[in-house]
Amino acid sequence: MIDWWTAIDGEILGCLENHGAMSLQELGRRLGISEGEANAFVSMLVREGKLRIRQVELVPAADPGAPG
């Protein structure tokens, strides 16, 4: 039987090593999983001390004069 956690753990860590920091959406796209699944797996890796989340980015407010 395949140890699925070790497999996804390795895929996530390998993806981040090879491609650098990325959004959960991008990580999920690269691994063929949803953003929610990527979030859950990354959260587990953070709890295990294998990853650190070091950046929080403020999304700029929409320009009130911009169409949209």
Side-chain angles (χ1 to χ4, degrees):
M1 179 161 88
I2 296 174
D3 180 359
W4 66 270
W5 173 242
T6 300
I8 193 70
D9 176 316
E11 288 180 39
I12 290 170
L13 296 174
C15 186
L16 293 170
E17 280 183 54
N18 291 326
H19 303 287
M22 65 185 73
S23 69
L24 292 169
Q25 183 179 28
E26 176 66 13
L27 181 62
R29 187 188 66 73
R30 288 180 181 269
L31 297 177
I33 59 177
S34 72
E35 181 178 352
E37 290 170 316
N39 185 34
F41 289 129
V42 165
S43 294
M44 285 188 266
L45 289 166
V46 168
R47 281 192 298 271
E48 291 179 355
K50 295 180 179 179
L51 286 180
R52 256 188 311 223
I53 298 173
R54 296 178 51 145
Q55 181 175 341
V56 176
E57 184 176 332
L58 179 63
V59 177
D63 179 358

